[in-house]
Amino acid sequence: MAGGHARPSHRSHPRSLHDSSEPEQSPVSSQADAIEDYALIGDCHSAALVSKSGSIDWLCWPRFDSPACFAALLGSPDNGRWRIMPVEPPTQVTRRYWPGTMILETLFETASGSVALIDFMAVEKDSLVRIVEARDGSVPMQLDLALRFEYGSAIPWVTRLNHGSGIRAIVGPYQVVLHSDVKLHGRAMTTVASFTAEAGQRTRFVMTHAASHLAQPVPPDANQALDDTDVVWSGWSGRCSYRGAYRTEVQRSLLTLKALSYYPTGGIVAAPTTSLPEQLAGSRNWDYRYCWLRDATFTLLALMHAGYREEAQAWGAWLRRSVAGSPAQLQTLYGLGGERAVPEWEVPWLAGYQGAAPVRVGNAASTQLQLDVYGELIDAMYQEMALGLTRPASSWPLQRSLVTHLEKIWDRPDESIWEVRGGAQSFTFSKVMVWVALDRAVRGAESFSLPAPLERWKALRSHIHETICRDGFNPQRNSFVQYFGGDALDASLLLLPLVGFLPPEDPRIRGTVEAIGCDLMVDGLVRRYHTSEVHDGLTGGEGVFLACSFWYVDNLVLQERHQEARAMFDRLLALANDVGLLAEEYDPLGCRQLGNFPQAFSHLALINTALNLDTHAAPATQRSQGSEPGDGAPPSEP
């Protein structure tokens, strides 16, 4: 491992772990793989990204938002990675997840044989396990490991363990121990190994994390950990109640959401990564390792409709704990435990993903006024009551307090769902979600006989609706527009019929869907808005936004354009990588995934759209009981 001095050994005559007597290996590229060439493994505390070349290029330990100890994804191999692969170039590489799990298997085919690399994070063990399993032949293998803490900047002090078949790395508060079935050697601030994978044999590597002030952690047995992890994930995915036409894709999306959940608190991160760009070599790079209120209702409905009541309850409890306090201090996003302070700063020593700088840690959007989050939060609380997840009275005082504050601020300009940095506007979607907040509060009070100033709330709800229809609709474009008095389109307006603001057959909704299809569609996929026409305070462009494309499918379903809807949905499913994962955005020209990866919002949209397709394709008598689309409720509400 790294460091500027010889490492002490357990032998009487110490030899540096980074002795240079190992044969030289060919130089490696400093460019990270394509975003879609990564796969996710996780343990509901943190997650790692594994490339097709067998390199773990991103891992934050022990939490999703901890400083990375492998950061090659955003820099070079010297910023930390762990690669295991055949010495000779593979003739073919294929990957799969073990069915119903987050256990990743990468199969390398070579001229001398085939070998599988099995990667997973052991559940509740703070351990990353890699097993090399030769399937046939005799395959020479190489390992190179560079642990770099604090986002690739801190080189640890490394000592030998187990007569060279293990190491212990410590720097500051961090401690990592690696146990190996083969001898490890040091070279040029890295740890390397060469070994041969023989047919029918396993070579095991177990890396375990602990705080440096604690005793050296004891790693789990790799084979037992593999069996246990298989059982846990298979048991969880086996609870999925969805039996529709898209079960495989829905189940993988649910597994991804579960892997992005932080088990101790129930929070779900938007993505496990930071600063993967929305345009290659661009600067629209953000840290998504936090929990957004905007995902609240989508998450609850996806989990509940798929049979995961316990997870839905945990998410709802996280929401209520995180927003507790003064309604005036409601934030857009919070930390995994509900932390409010997530200051944004730039990491100057990381060059960025394939040169896309800057690399950011933290997210300044947490301090913005985004009125739509009031609607998403109160809608989620209403759904909790309607679904029987909470007692109606338990969250009602908080809901009343939020609505009372919203009454005072609803007409202010804000930074919108897209968290623009070009100045506040009266964004149409923000005002629609204010209407949603009032609507769900009224419905909650009426449905559950809860105390509320109903006449005042109803009057404000009507006034907001009238204001939006007057100021947010552009007759010349025959469409709702991004902000009051403007003429730019915005794909968030596709949510208007989904939240029940107007029915899907309303001419204004039909006009909006048509206008977005004509103006924001690129190669059959939907942009958020035209970055060249909208002053959002940022430079450069971006790809199409996958969640918006799923919302467009939802609108096609509601307009009973079922053939078009399924064709577009199938197109979206085809954009997932070889193991079923989606990023935030997609470049239809370069055929590349863009943005943080994998993205919870994209997978949530996939799940809910699949549910909508199945629900609305069924005979009316077989549909879920509840509100029809357009009466003020989300179409997927039970």
Side-chain angles (χ1 to χ4, degrees):
M1 294 297 298
H5 307 281
R7 298 332 186 236
S9 167
H10 292 292
R11 297 178 292 191
S12 57
H13 299 287
R15 172 175 174 265
S16 170
L17 185 58
H18 302 292
D19 187 276
S20 60
S21 60
E22 288 294 309
E24 289 295 320
Q25 295 176 342
S26 59
V28 295
S29 169
S30 62
Q31 293 286 298
D33 289 8
I35 292 171
E36 60 270 16
D37 285 343
Y38 286 94
L40 179 77
I41 57 174
D43 61 1
C44 299
H45 288 77
S46 184
L49 292 189
V50 188
S51 76
K52 279 187 176 180
S53 60
S55 181
I56 296 177
D57 289 346
W58 182 255
L59 171 63
C60 300
W61 241 353
R63 298 186 0 161
F64 292 102
D65 57 352
S66 297
C69 59
F70 296 138
L73 180 71
L74 302 179
S76 72
D78 192 51
N79 294 125
R81 72 167 184 186
W82 183 10
R83 187 178 65 170
I84 301 175
M85 67 177 299
V87 173
E88 58 183 316
T91 57
Q92 184 176 1
V93 179
T94 56
R95 301 185 298 181
R96 69 180 184 109
Y97 282 113
W98 285 18
T101 77
M102 293 301 299
I103 299 171
L104 177 70
E105 180 182 297
T106 305
L107 183 65
F108 298 102
E109 303 277 359
T110 74
S112 57
S114 63
V115 60
L117 176 61
I118 302 168
D119 289 317
F120 63 97
M121 296 184 76
V123 178
E124 298 183 3
K125 299 294 185 182
D126 285 324
S127 294
L128 175 58
V129 182
R130 314 195 75 180
I131 299 175
V132 176
E133 183 177 272
R135 297 291 166 81
D136 62 69
S138 179
V139 183
M141 301 290 293
Q142 60 185 1
L143 173 152
D144 57 89
L145 166 67
L147 271 165
R148 301 289 189 268
F149 295 88
E150 297 287 352
Y151 298 106
S153 66
I155 301 173
W157 184 267
V158 178
T159 54
R160 291 181 185 274
L161 302 173
N162 303 328
H163 305 288
S165 62
I167 60 169
R168 184 188 190 195
I170 291 180
V171 63
Y174 309 107
Q175 174 183 200
V176 164
V177 170
L178 171 62
H179 286 255
S180 163
D181 281 344
V182 300
K183 293 287 185 180
L184 303 173
H185 306 276
R187 187 185 63 229
M189 300 295 184
T190 64
T191 297
V192 299
S194 297
F195 60 99
T196 301
E198 303 285 355
Q201 295 182 356
R202 281 181 171 180
T203 306
R204 299 158 298 180
F205 305 89
V206 182
M207 181 179 288
T208 305
H209 175 276
S212 63
H213 66 275
L214 300 178
Q216 179 178 310
V218 178
D221 175 79
N223 293 328
Q224 186 62 52
L226 177 60
D227 292 341
D228 293 345
T229 303
D230 188 11
V231 168
V232 170
W233 280 112
S234 297
W236 188 87
S237 62
R239 290 165 44 202
C240 177
S241 61
Y242 173 76
R243 295 292 185 272
Y246 301 99
R247 178 171 170 79
T248 298
E249 294 84 0
V250 167
Q251 186 183 69
R252 179 49 54 193
S253 291
L254 287 163
L255 282 161
T256 303
L257 290 179
K258 180 63 175 177
L260 296 180
S261 68
Y262 185 60
Y263 178 77
T265 66
I268 299 176
V269 297
T273 56
T274 178
S275 302
L276 291 181
E278 297 172 10
Q279 182 183 56
L280 294 179
S283 61
R284 294 173 182 256
N285 316 322
W286 315 109
D287 192 348
Y288 277 14
R289 297 171 300 151
Y290 308 107
C291 307
W292 264 256
L293 296 188
R294 186 161 293 116
D295 299 351
T297 306
F298 291 106
T299 303
L300 275 176
L301 293 175
L303 292 172
M304 281 299 296
H305 289 171
Y308 292 101
R309 183 182 182 88
E310 180 180 338
E311 285 75 12
Q313 286 178 316
W315 172 244
W318 178 89
L319 287 170
R320 284 179 268 111
R321 290 194 308 269
S322 297
V323 304
S326 170
Q329 296 178 325
L330 185 71
Q331 295 189 180
T332 304
L333 60 103
Y334 295 84
L336 304 178
E339 298 90 347
R340 292 170 176 263
V342 287
E344 183 178 304
W345 57 283
E346 296 181 4
V347 186
W349 58 85
L350 289 176
Y353 173 80
Q354 296 188 358
V359 171
R360 294 181 172 95
V361 170
N363 200 307
S366 61
T367 63
Q368 290 182 338
L369 174 63
Q370 297 177 29
L371 292 171
D372 65 290
V373 299
Y374 286 88
E376 280 116 12
L377 178 59
I378 293 174
D379 189 17
M381 291 180 175
Y382 169 76
Q383 299 293 345
E384 281 190 292
M385 296 190 299
L387 295 166
L389 295 174
T390 61
R391 292 182 298 105
S394 63
S395 67
W396 190 243
L398 176 57
Q399 291 188 59
R400 283 196 61 170
S401 180
L402 288 166
V403 174
T404 298
H405 179 67
L406 192 55
E407 288 180 278
K408 302 172 185 175
I409 67 167
W410 76 268
D411 57 350
R412 292 184 188 175
D414 76 330
E415 276 83 11
S416 89
I417 181 175
W418 304 131
E419 302 171 353
V420 299
R421 301 192 177 195
Q425 297 270 12
S426 290
F427 286 96
T428 301
F429 179 73
S430 297
K431 298 300 189 264
V432 168
M433 293 309 294
V434 171
W435 175 89
V436 168
L438 270 294
D439 179 72
R440 303 307 191 262
V442 167
R443 293 173 63 187
E446 291 181 333
S447 299
F448 302 102
S449 302
L450 298 168
L454 278 175
E455 294 308 312
R456 190 174 82 227
W457 285 0
K458 287 181 178 179
L460 181 57
R461 179 179 64 175
S462 296
H463 174 63
I464 293 172
H465 198 283
E466 293 169 0
T467 301
I468 294 167
C469 291
R470 182 187 67 239
D471 298 337
F473 185 80
N474 186 314
Q476 285 70 43
R477 299 213 69 167
N478 191 32
S479 173
F480 285 96
V481 288
Q482 186 177 58
Y483 53 84
F484 286 2
D487 58 8
L489 297 178
D490 189 314
S492 65
L493 302 168
L494 292 168
L495 289 170
L496 269 59
L498 303 185
V499 300
F501 181 76
L502 285 172
E505 64 272 13
D506 188 287
R508 292 164 293 184
I509 294 297
R510 288 188 178 274
T512 300
V513 174
E514 181 180 358
I516 288 173
C518 292
D519 193 66
L520 296 183
M521 194 83 79
V522 180
D523 195 24
L525 303 169
V526 180
R527 295 184 184 274
R528 295 188 301 169
Y529 51 84
H530 285 296
T531 56
S532 60
E533 298 176 4
V534 174
H535 179 59
D536 60 9
L538 304 168
T539 60
E542 61 184 21
V544 296
F545 201 82
L546 295 179
C548 296
S549 300
F550 284 112
W551 300 341
Y552 193 88
V553 176
D554 293 330
N555 276 268
L556 294 177
V557 171
L558 294 182
Q559 293 183 9
E560 300 185 352
R561 297 158 63 180
H562 299 296
Q563 187 174 355
E564 294 176 70
R566 288 192 180 275
M568 185 170 178
F569 188 64
D570 289 342
R571 167 81 194 288
L572 285 163
L573 295 181
L575 301 182
N577 72 356
D578 57 321
V579 289
L581 301 181
L582 289 168
E584 180 182 33
E585 299 186 7
Y586 184 77
D587 175 8
L589 299 179
C591 299
R592 293 280 306 272
Q593 294 206 34
L594 298 171
N596 284 304
F597 173 88
Q599 177 77 6
F601 212 33
S602 298
H603 285 280
L604 284 167
L606 184 158
I607 295 167
N608 286 313
T609 299
L611 292 165
N612 284 338
L613 281 164
D614 284 347
T615 298
H616 293 281
T621 55
Q622 296 179 11
R623 292 182 183 174
S624 300
Q625 297 298 308
S627 304
E628 286 298 315
D631 75 341
S636 54
E637 181 189 345

